[in-house]
Amino acid sequence: MSFSSYLKYNILGDDIMDKKQVCSLNLSAILCRRPDALARVQGSADYRNINGTVSFYKTVHGTIVYARVGGLPTERGGCKGRVFAFHIHEGSECRGNYDDPFAAALSHYNPKGCQHPYHAGDLPPFFEAGGTAVSAFLTDRFSVDEIIGKTVIIHSGVDDFTSQPAGNSGKKIACGKIISC
């Protein structure tokens, strides 16, 4: 059995996708092309080492989000490691004040008024490894065009996916404005 047959019938399920659709989700090919939008993430004054990029790719199935961020705070040890909440926020600037360095990022992007964790801007968390986090996922909660001009935020804590309105994610420690490429 070929890999695409295996993928179609054993992973994606019979009659869900044809070969053309399976190939259209070839992550390697998608990530090798120029992104449709990009955010350059920088840490706040207290987290100056954080930097990275979040890339957004249009696909026929939704938006692929690929993020690579370094300089994250780490914890060493057998059962340790940091988990960071990651969201799209509705604001268009990465500036703020002493209490909230990215106050202008405002709250989670939520055009349909959904409860947390069903905001369009609620994203899977980052799991750091040696201060670096890499994540790639597909979402249909927003299109690339809808998020141009918004911001991505990394929070100091993990999103509990329950607390309203934002999952008790901790303070905003890094931000990047999403721009069209």
Side-chain angles (χ1 to χ4, degrees):
M1 175 181 285
S2 72
F3 176 73
S4 32
S5 294
Y6 171 81
L7 187 62
K8 177 180 176 184
Y9 294 108
N10 295 313
I11 296 175
L12 300 173
D14 193 14
D15 297 327
I16 293 178
M17 294 185 170
D18 63 21
K19 184 176 180 182
K20 183 177 178 183
Q21 289 173 313
V22 169
C23 292
S24 72
L25 276 176
N26 181 334
L27 188 59
S28 295
I30 291 168
L31 296 180
C32 286
R33 73 175 204 233
R34 182 179 180 170
D36 298 297
L38 178 78
R40 296 195 188 284
V41 177
Q42 292 294 312
S44 67
D46 291 339
Y47 296 89
R48 293 185 190 277
N49 291 335
I50 297 175
N51 66 78
T53 58
V54 181
S55 302
F56 300 89
Y57 300 85
K58 295 177 185 179
T59 76
V60 296
H61 305 288
T63 301
I64 297 245
V65 180
Y66 174 75
R68 186 175 192 291
V69 179
L72 293 164
T74 64
E75 288 183 19
R76 306 261 189 246
C79 295
K80 294 185 179 179
R82 298 282 303 268
V83 181
F84 300 90
F86 176 47
H87 303 115
I88 295 174
H89 282 235
E90 62 189 2
S92 61
E93 298 294 328
C94 290
R95 58 181 171 75
N97 55 52
Y98 180 77
D99 293 326
D100 182 354
F102 303 116
L106 304 174
S107 58
H108 293 189
Y109 175 57
N110 188 16
K112 295 181 181 171
C114 299
Q115 290 288 310
H116 182 72
Y118 301 103
H119 304 152
D122 291 330
L123 306 176
F126 285 146
F127 292 82
E128 68 83 19
T132 299
V134 177
S135 177
F137 58 92
L138 172 69
T139 182
D140 64 357
R141 291 186 177 192
F142 56 82
S143 71
V144 172
D145 295 332
E146 293 169 342
I147 58 167
I148 301 293
K150 308 283 187 242
T151 50
V152 293
I153 292 288
I154 301 171
H155 293 268
S156 61
V158 64
D159 189 328
D160 66 15
F161 294 104
T162 303
S163 303
Q164 299 300 323
N168 197 27
S169 301
K171 67 184 194 174
K172 299 174 192 128
I173 61 171
C175 181
K177 183 174 180 175
I178 302 168
I179 60 169
S180 181
C181 291

